Amino acid sequence: MHAFTNIKKAITISDAFWNVTTEAGLANIVSRNLGDGRHQAVETGHSFVNMSSYSYLGLDSHPGILQAAADAVLNTGSLNTTVSRIRVQFDILKDAEDALADLVEAEVVTLPSCAAAAAAALPLLASGALTGGTPPRLLFDKNAHFCLNLMKPVCADETEVSTIGHNDLSALEDACKAGGPVAYVADSVYSTGGRAPIRDLLFLQERYGLFLLFDEAHGLSTLGRHGRGPVLDALDGINDRTLIITSLNKGFGASGGAVFIGRRHDRRRRELATRFGGPVTWSQRINVAGLGAIIKSVDIHRSDELHVLQERLQDNIRLFDRLVPTATAGDGLPIRFISIGDEDGTVRLAQSFLAEGFYTSAVFFPVIARGRAGLRIMIRANMTAGDIERFAAHLKDVRTVGTEAGHV
Amino acid sequence: MHAFTNIKKAITISDAFWNVTTEAGLANIVSRNLGDGRHQAVETGHSFVNMSSYSYLGLDSHPGILQAAADAVLNTGSLNTTVSRIRVQFDILKDAEDALADLVEAEVVTLPSCAAAAAAALPLLASGALTGGTPPRLLFDKNAHFCLNLMKPVCADETEVSTIGHNDLSALEDACKAGGPVAYVADSVYSTGGRAPIRDLLFLQERYGLFLLFDEAHGLSTLGRHGRGPVLDALDGINDRTLIITSLNKGFGASGGAVFIGRRHDRRRRELATRFGGPVTWSQRINVAGLGAIIKSVDIHRSDELHVLQERLQDNIRLFDRLVPTATAGDGLPIRFISIGDEDGTVRLAQSFLAEGFYTSAVFFPVIARGRAGLRIMIRANMTAGDIERFAAHLKDVRTVGTEAGHV
């Protein structure tokens, strides 16, 4: 018991902190969407820029995607099929998966969320069905996303599961040397910043046959040719020892999640996912609004528009890095962490940013270790230079005052 | 290991059968939606009535719901918020949850699927957070839905988990008598037919404080005043020892799932779900198309239209029962199981029905025990009497021929 989770302990530790955050007006903000990452709080009428939006390319506001989503509902005449997809599926589901599969040159199965994709893929991997019948020992990176970690006990009922240090290549290599199949479970781009050492991992894969399962939720669209994400960008096409799960809701601008389950047209991998992939077989599909959005977003990913948006994002990241020094400045990722340390100080800073018209995410335990609190900032292609400059100026003002008063 | 799952074994046992089903043309049928539970296969142009649709009231084809879904996308201007809901949420999410909460007179938290609702609710229950800090022993009904069973290992990391016989009230009472909090996890209406003995369970709740978690996926909309489902219909308002998870995609005609987490306006229960409810806190929300559909579907549930649709459904169930005798005839539920036994014979029968224009679900291990195969039929309000009569006539024809030849 409590080998992997301890919810009661988590409640004891972080409940008070959420109380503080809520009382500070930084939680449960109900807002109208003003588009392009801008919101207006319903209760106060206060407008703000979302500085913590994972729509890195701004595709959540793309008129073409929205129109495609609405059209898909009216043209299909139903929000979803009303039977398991392994029995009868709408043509729009096949069209969306085919479009996505052609984009990423891999066999793709979609699910209602990235978490559902994890629930489909991880137990299948743990069972040995993807490693020639022998269950691999599963090594989770200690910073792997919650949706991966939730499945640890489920995987531990199929194989040996352990957790290793963040990006700990030597622990991984030791496990590989011990023999038998080994699989590493990690994010490609971490939601609190930083990335997996993908090239080093591929080296271990080549050398020892290491299986890799990556959560590409923050990498897809944002990075890589046609937005295929850093993992596929590093690979020469997906291989039989790499599995990718991702969100289609974040950078991608649609809804749901996906598993890149194997090589394009690998019928056996597809069968394993659609017959034995847990929620794939018995839970609902992405609704047709989401499927219409996926098809349109794939079109955008194939066009020059994507490249332009990726460039705009990189320009904004560079501008931010020039004005706001952080530990990961210059890494080309859109996620920055402004380190504060003290949890109360972090909340006060977020509050003052909100008053200035910027919503920032105060991040703290259990998301990260205690005493390491800070603001998580996410840069978008559709931020203006003026937004970033005003944000940086306010941070500088607060820090000057804070230093004088002995805070921040 | 393999205390709860064994995917490799499941693959070994049921893979061949899925091969047969696929070769028989009964799996992966890609179709155009013709509305009202009718489809046209893209490859062959063959049209058929879906006799295995869980849209019991036909709300999947409701023009008002479809329009509301499309409007919600264009009016909101984004398919989803791009940050955790505990931080910033769109007003339409609050509106949808409030509408649903008022309908069912319970505090409601929505998620992208019923499976996600199970992933949110079950570990929280297992941790003891809903039972005064003491983790309850969790007893799962052996026929509980896959989405509940998937979470068994996760719950077993928080508390003691076991599986009891189907509707086994005496095993439950014994567990209650042994002392300490006990929670029972079950479907209210089972996807293969039959229901939980809700009144008896409520008696155990009153007598011993038994906690009840029901999956209402097949009960919501279909049954009860304003379609609130059989559990809320039996209760005088939800209580602190009952949790309901449900799909909003099946009878309800929208998308996603929900947890009825506590009494209306129980702020603490809501906090526990939004702060510590797993995917509620870190996974995506129902997209705005689904939220718009929920709001419209609630309106329909409050109107006379729902009553009319429920009556039509009951008329069709009665007609079906008159023409096709099954073990559960007369129970008022829309799910019927035509028992065949032999798995190959079941597939051949389903094939012959499809040729006649009826898609039926051939059901077999691992969904039910080996040698107990049959066709799962789901009745809808928007079937015509002619459909049901033609279906029954074909079954009679096949059975006559089959009996003469020693089959079926």
Side-chain angles (χ1 to χ4, degrees), chain B residues 140-218:
Chain B
F140 284 71
D141 190 282
K142 96 172 168 60
N143 289 6
H145 190 262
F146 290 105
C147 76
L148 300 166
N149 293 339
L150 177 67
M151 300 311 291
K152 279 181 183 176
V154 178
C155 293
D157 202 32
E158 296 278 355
T159 190
E160 190 189 318
V161 170
S162 55
T163 304
I164 62 170
H166 180 48
N167 288 343
D168 189 345
L169 290 165
S170 73
L172 256 183
E173 186 158 17
D174 288 348
C176 290
K177 281 179 180 165
V182 175
Y184 175 55
V185 179
D187 299 4
S188 64
V189 173
Y190 285 85
S191 59
T192 46
R195 64 173 98 195
I198 296 172
R199 298 214 164 268
D200 295 324
L201 292 167
L202 292 178
F203 174 79
L204 292 182
Q205 178 171 81
E206 197 167 319
R207 184 150 185 183
Y208 301 103
L210 176 64
F211 200 106
L212 297 166
L213 187 150
F214 289 110
D215 180 343
E216 262 288 20
H218 292 270

Side-chain angles (χ1 to χ4, degrees), chain A residues 15 28 86-87 157 268 362, chain B residues 4 15 28 86-87 268 362:
Chain A
D15 211 21
N28 299 311
I86 196 171
R87 297 186 179 280
D157 202 31
R268 183 56 187 158
Chain B
F4 303 107
D15 211 20
N28 300 310
I86 196 171
R87 297 186 179 281
R268 183 54 187 157

Side-chain angles (χ1 to χ4, degrees), chain A residues 65-94:
Chain A
I65 291 178
L66 297 172
Q67 193 61 54
D71 289 348
V73 175
L74 299 177
N75 293 341
T76 309
S78 185
L79 271 175
N80 219 322
T81 40
T82 57
V83 57
S84 169
R85 62 167 285 163
I86 196 171
R87 297 186 179 280
V88 181
Q89 60 180 257
F90 285 151
D91 42 0
I92 192 172
L93 174 61
K94 181 168 163 43

Side-chain angles (χ1 to χ4, degrees), chain A residues 123-136 268-269 272 276, chain B residues 7-8 11:
Chain A
L124 205 55
L125 173 61
S127 77
L130 308 178
T131 47
T134 309
R268 183 56 187 158
R269 280 285 179 94
L272 286 169
F276 306 104
Chain B
I7 295 174
K8 215 160 74 175
I11 293 174

Side-chain angles (χ1 to χ4, degrees), chain A residues 12 16 19 73 162 270 298 361 386 402:
Chain A
T12 307
N19 288 338
V73 175
S162 56
R270 186 167 192 83
V298 167
S361 280

Side-chain angles (χ1 to χ4, degrees), chain B residues 192-194 321 325-333 335-337:
Chain B
T192 46
D321 284 348
T326 56
T328 57
D331 72 356
L333 297 180
I335 303 165
R336 293 290 175 254
F337 188 73

Side-chain angles (χ1 to χ4, degrees), chain A residues 114-319:
Chain A
C114 185
L122 272 168
L124 205 55
L125 173 61
S127 77
L130 308 178
T131 47
T134 309
R137 276 171 294 141
L138 282 191
L139 275 63
F140 284 71
D141 190 284
K142 96 173 170 59
N143 288 7
H145 190 262
F146 290 106
C147 76
L148 299 166
N149 294 338
L150 178 66
M151 299 312 291
K152 279 181 184 176
V154 178
C155 293
D157 202 31
E158 297 277 355
T159 190
E160 190 189 319
V161 170
S162 56
T163 304
I164 62 170
H166 180 49
N167 287 345
D168 189 345
L169 290 165
S170 72
L172 256 182
E173 186 159 16
D174 288 347
C176 290
K177 281 180 179 163
V182 174
Y184 176 54
V185 180
D187 298 5
S188 64
V189 173
Y190 285 84
S191 59
T192 47
R195 65 173 97 195
I198 295 172
R199 297 214 166 267
D200 297 323
L201 292 167
L202 292 179
F203 175 79
L204 292 182
Q205 178 172 80
E206 198 167 319
R207 184 148 186 184
Y208 301 102
L210 176 65
F211 200 106
L212 298 166
L213 187 150
F214 289 110
D215 180 343
E216 263 288 20
H218 293 269
L220 192 73
S221 308
T222 313
L223 299 168
R225 198 164 62 88
H226 298 306
R228 297 185 312 170
V231 178
L232 288 177
D233 232 35
L235 282 169
D236 187 22
I238 199 159
N239 61 42
D240 291 341
R241 296 199 155 261
T242 306
L243 220 60
I244 294 170
I245 67 163
T246 192
S247 173
L248 302 172
N249 173 38
K250 297 185 194 277
F252 200 77
S255 290
V259 187
F260 303 168
I261 189 75
R263 294 176 201 267
R264 186 79 174 107
H265 306 299
D266 182 332
R267 192 178 141 185
R268 183 56 187 158
R269 280 285 179 94
R270 186 167 192 83
E271 278 173 4
L272 286 169
T274 55
R275 294 177 180 182
F276 306 104
V280 179
T281 69
W282 40 251
S283 188
Q284 63 191 271
R285 281 69 55 206
I286 302 172
N287 66 24
V288 299
L291 296 175
I294 290 169
I295 293 170
K296 180 64 188 177
S297 183
V298 167
D299 283 349
I300 294 166
H301 278 69
R302 289 186 167 286
S303 73
D304 287 343
E305 189 178 351
L306 194 91
H307 186 67
V308 171
L309 292 172
Q310 283 184 335
E311 284 295 298
R312 256 184 230 159
L313 173 61
Q314 290 301 323
D315 287 346
N316 281 344
I317 293 171
R318 279 187 290 265
L319 175 60

